[in-house]
Amino acid sequence: MIPQQESEFDIGYLKPYYGKLFPYADMFKWMSYGHDGKHPGCDQSYFGRREFSFTLKGDFYLRFQSFNSALELENSIKEKCPLKIDIGPVYTVDPAKRHAYAQGDNKVFTPVERELIFDIDMTDYDDVRYCCKGADVCLDCWPLMTIAIKVIDASLRDDFGFKHILWVYSGRRGVHCWVCDGKARRLTNEQRASIADYFRVYKGNENSHKKVSLMGAALHPFLATSYTNVLKDYFEKILLTNQNLLATEERYEKILSMIPDESIASELRGRWQDNNRRSSSAKEDINVVRWEQCKQLLQSGKHKAQGLRRCVEEIVFFFTYPRLDMEVSKHMNHLLKAPFCVHPKTGRVCVPIDPNRCDEFDPTTVPTLFQLLEELNNEGLRADVNGEWSGTSLGSAVTLFRSSFLEPLLKACKEEIERSYSLKLQQSKNSIGW
Amino acid sequence: MEIVRPQSHRNLFSSNDAVSVPTIPLYRSAPPLEVRLEDFESFAIDRLRVLKGISDGLSRGKKPDEMEKLVEESWKVHMRHQHASEVLNKDIISHFVLRLVYCRTEDLRKWFLSMECALFRYRFRYRFRFLTTEAQRAIMDEFDLTCKAVNNVEFESIKEKLGQVARSMGQPSPTVDTIFYKVPFEEVPELVAGRKVFISQGYAYVAMNQVVSLVATLFRSQLSKTLILTNRKWTASIRDQEKHRLTPIVEALSSSYLGPDFSQPREYAEISLKDIDQVAKTSFPLCMRHLFDKLKEDHHLKHGGRMQLGLFLKGVGLNLDDALAFWRAEFSKKVGLEKFEKEYSYNIRHNYGKEGKRTDYTPYSCQKVISSTPGAGDQHGCPYRQFSEENLRAALSRMGVNSRAMEDVMDKVRNRHYQLACTLTFEALHGVACDAGINHPNQYFSDSQKILQPKKDSSA
């Protein structure tokens, strides 16, 4: 039994991880998007035009790595043992040959396809969680990530019509989202930015007290749906108590400061200041009680100050609504860590998360490098037809990756390749030479 | 387009713009027109005036309704033609000429693209609401918009959501008469970003009045691509082919400032040595006031400062002899008479075109002043840009700007509208509005004198 260490990571253990567990074949299939050479309509150059980048020991950074086959990818990773593997866009030409093509103004070396990606990081929520700060996460604040997944996933599917979405645990304190539909991969920077802005609500600014501002007589349907289906319940049933949002003076003052009507704020303050001394009844959580009082006053319609109309929603949005890193999503050439990497600070594997069961996901039980290697050792050298991973805790992660993401994606890709191939054949029959 | 010598002005293009539907050309391709050489340049300059007017209006923060009016008025003034049938041609020709002018660098392209798109947007906005529904649909077809009108059945199913979107923007809920279009969300990034449309299954539901945004986006991307192609053609062949005819005109057009260049000082602005101290206090813009004060304080200015202030003074009406006396008086206190004559007087005479290649240098416009890069020990440049907030406040209050105006000025500075800040300063100090905005330090001076002089005359 390996004794518990502070960090479950040792660079020496990456070699056996890459040697036996990293799912190369699956990664290759994914990145090929159906262009595996088996159909005449396949683009043989596609995989080779994808950029990978490796972070090596000693902070060496190798950009613009590209490979022409799954084997080349595998050999290179096994040989270099990168601390981190990032995935970039698909370019017009093989990135390794970019210098031969760069000609001044003519942007002949440029990204042509790239998944629509999102990065949600717990540190962006530091002003709304009291259990942890910075790089730490725990089960009390993890629901913020669950909320983010639910809200964004629903909108990507229902509003934007995307179907092939992969959610991945980032290994420490957040989640990544990869939207892989063809339509998504071909979005321009401007379109990506517009989607990121569509999702944006929190506008943190040291000058403004109010970082969430929901104007207008009604909420946009996307915000209204998110509130009704996800935010309200998570706030009232989980975060209020997990985070003790109204339990102490410091904490309730934060919420009171978001109420533009001073008379309401002082009335609540008056009630709560006395209450602090008294021990609350065992039945009702003090946070829940106080929130009810707060809502009652704000929604009573008695006090008609400006900005009060949406105050309850604004508070809930402030504490729960997803906070995306806008820069990650806006540019095609932004690199993002590959799934199934191992996080060097925690030793945890970046495993996929099933959005339909994301409320069951527990970041504290994600397999670690040490754990996996121990399992490998215990299982013996039994080569499994599926790959060595299937006997380990990584098994369910790879299975999830395949069944809920990769297989439907590849099916759709094949159909798309066939369709555009038939179309091309048709067009060449009909075309008039010019 | 074929450029011909003057005298032959046959017009091959017969515009089919029915009078009932005023047209906005889309500038997709150069029409088969013959253009007189003199029209080539003058049409372009007229259009440039409209574009610069738009640039000013936008930087003054004018609202869309005001911009619409501004554009329509500016267009009427500058883009008219004695033959009504020629108006459309002038529009098209001037656009294509300016394409040549502004395709040549990234900065020029960016500016031109912004202004032409704004021009298009406001003209479109203005006209669209007067068109019949059929005419509106016809325009959408022109842009190959893959949008379909939403039928009643679909409308009923999403009516509530459409209403939510409208009310979230402070607008009334749509009725069954409101026309909506169903468009792939990729085609309306602006509306998506602002959550101004209902989106479902990859389609955005765009209200008729939002179509302007749609069309503007498509216009913009078309023009953007075209500019790059035009640049390639220019570099590859046109520039060389036309080097004795069009190229010099094209190259001159992009740097034209389009206002008076103050190289010929006006009568009322002629000042003499004894006037300088007084007018510096009342009529110098901050940039020149600062240089002037520093000169008096240190009895020295580095080269950049000497150029900026020296040319300004020339534009203000100081003649060469007075200029020499002015600089001599200050510099000799620091470096001595002999050194002044040896090292500095040449420069001053050079500025007046009396030495070297005898170019009569023109005083710097605001654009030029703002874009200069003063280094250590320099005092030139635009103080609204260069000074820290603290120093700027101090300088402005020394000039006499009151605290309320001060806040407005600082607000403009924070948003990097330096010329607007200077304009507000002018307005605060003179008690009158300056609608044209400050574009040139000498303009500040002459406008100031215009206001103060009549008063002086009446009291004399």
Side-chain angles (χ1 to χ4, degrees):
Chain A
M1 170 94 168
I2 299 173
Q4 276 289 21
Q5 303 190 8
E6 233 177 15
S7 163
E8 300 252 333
F9 182 84
D10 185 310
I11 195 171
Y13 289 110
L14 271 184
K15 210 164 178 62
Y17 178 75
Y18 285 134
K20 297 184 200 280
L21 294 175
F22 188 85
Y24 299 100
D26 296 87
M27 294 295 285
F28 172 78
K29 281 189 197 154
W30 172 22
M31 289 287 121
S32 300
Y33 286 96
H35 294 286
D36 53 10
K38 293 188 184 143
H39 186 283
C42 284
D43 177 352
Q44 303 281 51
S45 74
Y46 188 84
F47 182 71
R49 292 186 280 121
R50 166 81 66 170
E51 176 189 3
F52 293 87
S53 93
F54 295 160
T55 307
L56 306 180
K57 188 171 67 170
D59 271 335
F60 283 112
Y61 201 49
L62 292 176
R63 271 202 70 176
F64 298 111
Q65 304 296 293
S66 59
F67 312 100
N68 289 316
S69 66
L71 191 60
E72 271 185 40
L73 173 70
E74 184 175 341
N75 288 343
S76 184
I77 292 177
K78 281 179 173 168
E79 182 209 346
K80 298 192 169 73
C81 252
L83 283 172
K84 187 165 76 123
I85 304 170
D86 284 296
I87 300 176
V90 178
Y91 285 93
T92 41
V93 294
D94 181 344
K97 303 195 177 98
R98 65 194 180 282
H99 296 302
Y101 289 90
Q103 289 166 35
D105 228 3
N106 298 4
K107 298 195 172 123
V108 187
F109 176 69
T110 193
V112 287
E113 280 194 16
R114 206 275 187 273
E115 294 75 9
L116 174 64
I117 56 178
F118 298 97
D119 180 350
I120 304 166
D121 193 318
M122 195 65 92
T123 49
D124 289 337
Y125 293 80
D126 279 354
D127 60 347
V128 293
R129 56 178 185 144
Y130 298 110
C131 50
C132 310
K133 275 267 175 291
D136 298 326
V137 289
C138 70
L139 290 178
D140 284 336
C141 53
W142 187 258
L144 288 167
M145 292 294 112
T146 310
I147 292 169
I149 296 175
K150 282 180 184 271
V151 167
I152 304 293
D153 191 77
S155 181
L156 287 172
R157 289 176 205 275
D158 299 338
D159 299 349
F160 293 98
F162 294 127
K163 299 190 168 59
H164 304 285
I165 303 173
L166 175 69
W167 288 93
V168 186
Y169 174 53
S170 75
R172 187 159 62 154
R173 60 189 191 217
V175 294
H176 296 160
C177 177
W178 300 76
V179 185
C180 303
D181 298 52
K183 235 177 31 151
R185 302 197 312 269
R186 290 184 282 271
L187 291 172
T188 64
N189 286 355
E190 187 186 8
Q191 289 159 345
R192 286 160 204 267
S194 75
I195 298 177
D197 280 320
Y198 179 84
F199 288 141
R200 187 178 188 211
V201 170
Y202 177 86
K203 289 182 179 163
N205 181 344
E206 63 276 10
N207 288 334
S208 56
H209 231 310
K210 232 180 170 209
K211 298 172 189 182
V212 171
S213 183
L214 301 172
M215 312 298 285
L219 286 180
H220 184 280
F222 161 59
L223 298 181
T225 308
S226 304
Y227 181 76
T228 317
N229 292 359
V230 183
L231 305 182
K232 182 172 191 289
D233 283 346
Y234 267 82
F235 179 79
E236 292 184 346
K237 299 186 176 140
I238 298 180
L239 290 171
L240 257 186
T241 42
N242 273 15
Q243 298 291 330
N244 281 302
L245 292 178
L246 291 165
T248 68
E249 181 175 341
E250 187 194 336
R251 294 185 191 185
Y252 69 59
E253 276 303 329
K254 190 179 192 137
I255 291 185
L256 290 181
S257 74
M258 294 175 68
I259 300 175
D261 184 327
E262 191 46 49
S263 62
I264 295 186
S266 10
E267 190 178 329
L268 290 168
R269 187 179 291 118
R271 285 196 224 176
W272 297 344
Q273 259 167 358
D274 303 329
N275 241 337
N276 250 340
R277 302 307 170 103
R278 267 198 304 142
S279 57
S280 49
S281 66
K283 252 203 194 144
E284 292 218 276
D285 179 283
I286 193 174
N287 299 290
V288 173
V289 170
R290 287 181 173 176
W291 179 241
E292 280 308 309
Q293 292 170 347
C294 194
K295 271 202 299 184
Q296 241 186 28
L297 280 183
L298 287 173
Q299 289 172 337
S300 69
K302 241 190 339 180
H303 310 255
K304 290 213 171 105
Q306 258 232 342
L308 215 51
R309 198 213 296 263
R310 298 248 160 265
C311 198
V312 171
E313 284 93 335
E314 280 173 353
I315 294 172
V316 173
F317 271 80
F318 180 70
F319 280 94
T320 60
Y321 184 85
R323 300 175 184 192
L324 309 176
D325 184 339
M326 305 290 288
E327 290 309 308
V328 169
S329 310
K330 284 182 174 179
H331 300 286
M332 279 177 99
N333 56 14
H334 198 108
L335 297 164
L336 190 64
K337 183 164 65 176
F340 298 105
C341 281
V342 179
H343 198 295
K345 299 262 164 60
T346 60
R348 297 211 188 266
V349 179
C350 302
V351 293
I353 302 176
D354 183 349
N356 297 324
R357 296 170 63 179
C358 56
D359 36 14
E360 295 165 25
F361 180 81
D362 181 347
T364 64
T365 60
V366 171
T368 68
L369 191 55
F370 283 7
Q371 177 192 343
L372 289 173
L373 293 179
E374 193 191 326
E375 288 169 5
L376 257 190
N377 289 338
N378 291 345
E379 291 291 312
L381 291 160
R382 200 191 61 201
D384 194 291
V385 64
N386 279 328
E388 306 242 21
W389 51 265
S390 69
T392 67
S393 312
L394 203 57
S396 55
V398 179
T399 307
L400 177 66
F401 181 78
R402 288 181 182 179
S403 62
S404 72
F405 170 70
L406 190 59
E407 277 151 29
L409 172 66
L410 290 179
K411 181 158 178 279
C413 287
K414 293 280 182 188
E415 283 166 11
E416 196 181 315
I417 291 176
E418 264 203 48
R419 225 176 308 135
S420 68
Y421 184 68
S422 320
L423 196 62
K424 242 186 232 153
L425 285 181
Q426 265 258 314
Q427 279 176 346
S428 63
K429 284 190 197 136
N430 298 343
S431 72
I432 303 162
W434 57 294
Chain B
M1 261 192 323
E2 203 192 309
I3 319 292
V4 299
R5 298 273 162 208
Q7 257 78 64
S8 77
H9 44 91
R10 246 173 71 238
N11 191 346
L12 300 172
F13 188 97
S14 60
S15 48
N16 59 353
D17 48 332
V19 187
S20 56
V21 177
T23 318
I24 307 167
L26 304 179
Y27 315 112
R28 286 241 176 95
S29 55
L33 285 172
E34 282 186 353
V35 187
R36 299 188 310 178
L37 196 58
E38 62 222 33
D39 287 340
F40 185 88
E41 185 173 9
S42 71
F43 285 179
I45 290 182
D46 286 339
R47 192 184 191 90
L48 201 48
R49 288 186 201 281
V50 175
L51 296 185
K52 297 241 176 179
I54 292 175
S55 178
D56 279 341
L58 288 174
S59 65
R60 291 176 74 79
K62 284 200 194 283
K63 304 222 173 41
D65 290 336
E66 297 171 310
M67 284 303 296
E68 258 182 51
K69 259 184 70 187
L70 184 155
V71 166
E72 286 304 312
E73 279 164 16
S74 179
W75 190 265
K76 262 192 222 131
V77 168
H78 296 295
M79 293 301 287
R80 61 165 183 251
H81 195 282
Q82 47 181 212
H83 305 298
S85 58
E86 295 294 304
V87 170
L88 181 61
N89 292 347
K90 181 171 173 180
D91 182 352
I92 297 174
I93 291 167
S94 59
H95 172 88
F96 279 93
V97 173
L98 287 185
R99 260 200 219 177
L100 281 179
V101 176
Y102 283 90
C103 71
R104 292 165 304 127
T105 73
E106 177 82 36
D107 282 343
L108 290 175
R109 286 196 291 271
K110 215 165 141 182
W111 185 86
F112 182 68
L113 188 64
S114 291
M115 296 310 127
E116 279 287 333
C117 288
L119 174 64
F120 179 82
R121 175 191 291 264
Y122 292 116
R123 293 176 74 199
F124 189 76
R125 245 175 89 100
Y126 183 77
R127 283 176 179 69
F128 197 69
R129 63 171 76 104
F130 298 121
L131 298 178
T132 63
T133 323
E134 287 75 40
Q136 288 177 342
R137 294 221 188 145
I139 289 193
M140 309 252 275
D141 288 338
E142 267 286 323
F143 276 96
D144 300 325
L145 288 179
T146 54
C147 61
K148 299 191 208 90
V150 171
N151 62 38
N152 281 348
V153 172
E154 193 175 3
F155 179 78
E156 283 302 317
S157 70
I158 56 172
K159 194 168 65 165
E160 198 188 311
K161 304 270 182 181
L162 294 177
Q164 276 179 306
V165 176
R167 282 179 295 131
S168 77
M169 297 190 287
Q171 288 168 15
S173 287
T175 64
V176 77
D177 295 322
T178 325
I179 301 181
F180 276 85
Y181 287 88
K182 193 170 159 174
V183 172
F185 76 87
E186 293 96 322
E187 292 185 18
V188 284
E190 273 175 49
L191 298 176
V192 170
R195 286 195 294 264
K196 296 189 175 148
V197 281
F198 171 59
I199 306 179
S200 177
Q201 290 308 319
Y203 287 94
Y205 291 82
V206 182
M208 183 59 92
N209 63 28
Q210 292 174 314
V211 166
V212 174
S213 165
L214 195 52
V215 167
T217 309
L218 293 170
F219 179 82
R220 188 193 182 91
S221 74
Q222 260 173 32
L223 187 55
S224 176
K225 288 189 198 118
T226 305
L227 279 176
I228 301 210
L229 289 174
T230 308
N231 184 35
R232 281 197 200 143
K233 265 198 276 190
W234 170 262
T235 324
S237 54
I238 306 178
R239 180 176 58 191
D240 216 53
Q241 279 168 15
E242 292 291 338
K243 69 177 174 228
H244 298 299
R245 199 171 61 147
L246 299 183
T247 304
I249 300 177
V250 166
E251 281 172 357
L253 277 170
S254 61
S255 53
S256 66
Y257 143 68
L258 280 195
D261 62 8
F262 299 98
S263 53
Q264 315 304 325
R266 303 247 165 74
E267 269 178 47
Y268 58 76
E270 246 169 44
I271 60 170
S272 66
L273 208 45
K274 60 179 169 55
D275 300 329
I276 292 188
D277 284 336
Q278 179 56 30
V279 296
K281 284 203 190 73
T282 59
S283 300
F284 278 16
L286 182 57
C287 51
M288 302 305 172
R289 173 83 182 263
H290 176 67
L291 282 168
F292 185 82
D293 289 343
K294 275 291 166 188
L295 176 62
K296 289 281 174 178
E297 198 183 305
D298 302 335
H299 305 297
H300 190 272
L301 276 180
K302 293 182 84 170
H303 180 259
R306 294 200 299 274
M307 290 298 284
Q308 189 173 307
L309 181 61
L311 289 172
F312 170 76
L313 291 174
K314 186 174 79 149
V316 139
L318 200 65
N319 63 39
L320 178 58
D321 286 333
D322 280 352
L324 284 166
F326 170 74
W327 291 99
R328 185 186 302 127
E330 292 305 325
F331 270 61
S332 59
K333 287 184 189 141
K334 180 134 189 220
V335 303
L337 208 55
E338 207 184 301
K339 191 160 182 202
F340 172 79
E341 295 301 341
K342 235 201 300 189
E343 293 190 15
Y344 296 99
S345 66
Y346 177 91
N347 229 164
I348 297 166
R349 282 201 299 280
H350 199 275
N351 284 348
Y352 279 74
K354 304 286 186 239
E355 299 281 1
K357 64 178 173 180
R358 318 263 158 170
T359 318
D360 202 5
Y361 289 97
T362 39
Y364 297 167
S365 65
C366 284
Q367 216 181 334
K368 184 142 187 193
V369 171
I370 290 171
S371 58
S372 53
T373 48
D378 282 324
Q379 304 295 345
H380 62 282
C382 175
Y384 296 97
R385 182 179 172 210
Q386 302 296 343
F387 283 18
S388 69
E389 176 158 340
E390 210 180 293
N391 289 347
L392 187 55
R393 282 178 187 272
L396 289 172
S397 84
R398 270 199 301 276
M399 275 179 95
V401 176
N402 66 54
S403 51
R404 201 187 27 158
M406 182 83 75
E407 291 318 309
D408 292 335
V409 172
M410 295 315 294
D411 181 65
K412 294 290 176 213
V413 169
R414 259 174 243 127
N415 288 310
R416 292 191 245 164
H417 299 313
Y418 308 118
Q419 286 168 250
L420 290 182
C422 190
T423 309
L424 286 179
T425 305
F426 181 95
E427 291 179 348
L429 293 175
H430 294 79
V432 297
C434 174
D435 286 322
I438 299 296
N439 292 309
H440 198 297
N442 286 90
Q443 173 209 356
Y444 184 109
F445 182 85
S446 63
D447 283 354
S448 172
Q449 287 288 291
K450 255 188 264 182
I451 293 170
L452 299 173
Q453 282 281 34
K455 292 190 192 145
K456 271 193 198 159
D457 286 340
S458 59
S459 66

